[in-house]
Amino acid sequence: MAELTDARRVMGRCDILGAISEELGCLTRRFATPAMGEANRVVASWMRDAGMAVRQDSIGNVIGRYEARSPRAKTLLLGSHLDTVRDAGKYDGPLGVLVALALVERLYARGERLPFALEVVAFADEEGLRYHTAYLGSQALAGAFDHADLSLEDGDGIMMSQAIREFGGDPEAIAGEQRRPDETLAYCEVHIEQGPVLERHDLPVGVVSVIMGQSRFNVEFVGEAGHAGTVPMAMRHDALCAAAEFVLAVEELARADAGLVATVGQLTVGPGASNVIPGRAALSLDVRCLDDAVREKTLETLHKKAIEIGARRGVAVEWRQVQASTTIACAPKLNAMLSRAIEALGYEAIGLPSGAGHDAVALSALAPVAMLFVRCKGGVSHNPAESVTSEDVAVALDALDLFVNDFAVEQGAMA
Ligand code: GLV
Ligand code: MN
Ligand code: MN
């Protein structure tokens, strides 16, 4: 049985961060908001107490650095994100930051330094809730941040560049956050599984093999607003009816292929009155598949379908990609090390793909990446009912401890 004290501290901290929200009665923490600032300050103070040098970088990531045994050593990155979806659970993201922090606390308490520096990064935006583009924080470190994104506006018309400045960041300095690949050894992230596989296998943790590619689009149907009482049905150009037909086409296409998932998660109707025919309907489209070619083909088919629906109904279609990432593989060598760690703790080490996106996707452009999944109740996530146990978190922390130790032995031997 793993020792539970450290895991219970991690769980308590998840509760503390889970109460830092933009909205009363539910957890919502978007990029560069006052709630994010508060979460950053709390995490930064825990990092300082664990002997780390801490800074908030120019995009809003909190980075705690635990120095190596000797200067000029390379860096192993650990972490996850602190932003959330709307009405979120409290473990998606924060758990990975806090398990990594707990590991550094163990090292600090033991007075132990490694042949490399450890940096725990609490990423500023992985969900993309505020600007619809995910991985803003990790893209900055990977040198993949797209400066065109700075002019995106949120739902209140606030430009990303302004939001970053108001948060205390500096849009002009984001390019300077890029890490050097020759100084970065790897990135390892602990995260809740967000699916049912580990529960089905009765296992506390598992190793991520691949992370599914995903595309996100904004699709807008533009028809003609009109009087709900006077415009005959045959003369209408109802944008919402076109959107509704499209939503069902998305579901039908995705259901026909077991490897494909597609979701419309957001729909805005304008002008938005019970006695006005909708003139505009804007929706989000999220398509994911392990096979990048299938994802691309699906998007092509859906685009044609939207145009066909629009043409038949006299409704224009605007189709705009906001984000795309290909399927990435976690590094086999790191996965073998994680598997050894899990087996050393007495559990079978299984590999599983991730349908969810993670900061590891962006960081895979910088360094080899690995991820350790933690079982979550019923596979439920992106939902306030998200739940993990202290016992499983204890196993994840011990596995990360063994992994980092193994990594240190290997690096020490190479030095
Ligand atoms: C992140 O949670 C995602 O939507 O993949
Ligand atoms: Mn998420
Ligand atoms: Mn996440």
Side-chain angles (χ1 to χ4, degrees):
M1 173 63 95
E3 208 260 301
L4 285 178
T5 315
D6 295 347
R8 289 200 177 120
R9 191 173 345 104
V10 168
M11 298 291 276
R13 287 174 171 173
C14 286
D15 290 343
I16 292 170
L17 293 178
I20 302 175
S21 174
E22 292 174 60
E23 294 181 283
L24 220 60
C26 73
L27 172 56
T28 304
R29 210 164 45 228
R30 293 172 306 154
F31 172 63
T33 54
M36 269 306 286
E38 176 61 17
N40 277 2
R41 278 188 290 280
V42 171
V43 169
S45 77
W46 291 331
M47 286 174 164
R48 268 185 221 103
D49 291 345
M52 286 188 263
V54 186
R55 73 187 183 100
Q56 182 173 294
D57 74 6
S58 53
I59 195 159
N61 300 316
V62 176
I63 305 176
R65 183 172 172 90
Y66 186 72
E67 285 299 347
R69 201 174 287 154
S70 53
R72 286 182 300 282
K74 295 183 183 183
T75 301
L76 174 64
L77 297 172
L78 305 174
S80 194
H81 57 100
L82 289 186
D83 68 315
T84 71
V85 292
R86 194 178 298 290
D87 196 10
K90 57 191 171 193
Y91 301 106
D92 175 358
L95 180 68
V97 175
L98 298 174
V99 170
L101 170 62
L103 168 67
V104 175
E105 285 174 332
R106 280 186 177 180
L107 295 170
Y108 189 52
R110 299 199 291 249
E112 194 178 329
R113 295 282 164 175
L114 303 170
F116 43 81
L118 273 183
E119 287 193 25
V120 177
V121 190
F123 288 106
D125 171 88
E126 184 268 356
E127 302 286 7
L129 180 61
R130 185 164 183 185
Y131 290 100
H132 298 270
T133 112
Y135 311 138
L136 294 175
S138 38
Q139 279 172 344
L141 265 64
F145 180 79
D146 183 352
H147 275 63
D149 286 350
L150 288 170
S151 13
L152 292 175
E153 292 184 357
D154 70 3
D156 299 317
I158 300 170
M159 226 186 243
M160 189 190 294
S161 53
Q162 184 190 339
I164 291 173
R165 274 193 204 96
E166 284 171 2
F167 194 66
D170 179 0
E172 307 312 319
I174 292 172
E177 301 297 345
Q178 179 174 3
R179 298 305 178 93
R180 290 180 48 161
D182 59 348
E183 290 177 352
T184 310
L185 291 168
Y187 172 69
C188 184
E189 175 170 354
V190 173
H191 202 283
I192 58 164
E193 182 201 342
Q194 308 182 277
V197 177
L198 291 171
E199 200 171 67
R200 209 181 296 138
H201 283 81
D202 193 22
L203 289 170
V205 294
V207 181
V208 176
S209 51
V210 290
I211 305 174
M212 226 182 232
Q214 60 169 274
S215 297
R216 298 190 193 185
F217 281 72
N218 283 338
V219 184
E220 187 153 0
F221 291 89
V222 184
E224 190 177 18
H227 199 292
T230 60
V231 184
M233 294 308 287
M235 290 177 67
R236 296 186 178 201
H237 304 288
D238 186 323
L240 179 58
C241 290
E245 201 178 326
F246 179 72
V247 172
L248 292 178
V250 170
E251 184 193 40
E252 190 182 332
L253 194 65
R255 278 192 171 194
D257 182 333
L260 191 63
V261 285
T263 308
V264 175
Q266 239 181 346
L267 178 67
T268 318
V269 180
S274 61
N275 60 348
V276 182
I277 300 162
R280 303 181 84 85
L283 56 85
S284 62
L285 173 65
D286 180 311
V287 177
R288 305 184 188 203
C289 188
L290 280 178
D291 186 331
D292 292 322
V294 172
R295 178 173 46 85
E296 293 294 343
K297 179 86 190 107
T298 302
L299 288 162
E300 216 178 280
T301 307
L302 287 174
H303 190 190
K304 281 194 191 131
K305 185 73 189 168
I307 290 169
E308 181 265 303
I309 293 168
R312 185 163 25 84
R313 291 175 168 274
V315 169
V317 180
E318 289 165 22
W319 184 263
R320 194 170 65 82
Q321 178 175 295
V322 282
Q323 161 123 13
S325 55
T326 58
T327 292
I328 68 114
C330 292
K333 187 172 154 202
L334 300 180
N335 280 2
M337 288 166 80
L338 278 176
S339 297
R340 273 202 300 278
I342 294 169
E343 283 160 4
L345 295 170
Y347 298 97
E348 183 192 354
I350 64 163
L352 65 172
S354 173
H358 299 286
D359 291 300
V361 171
L363 289 166
S364 67
L366 171 74
V369 299
M371 288 194 70
L372 184 71
F373 269 176
V374 181
R375 163 170 55 188
C376 65
K377 192 170 175 204
V380 172
S381 183
H382 283 186
N383 184 315
E386 238 173 41
S387 172
V388 298
T389 66
S390 302
E391 286 76 10
D392 290 355
V393 171
V395 176
L397 174 56
D398 287 349
L400 187 67
D401 198 344
L402 289 171
F403 168 84
V404 168
N405 194 53
D406 204 5
F407 209 90
V409 169
E410 187 199 82
Q411 292 297 315
M414 282 163 64

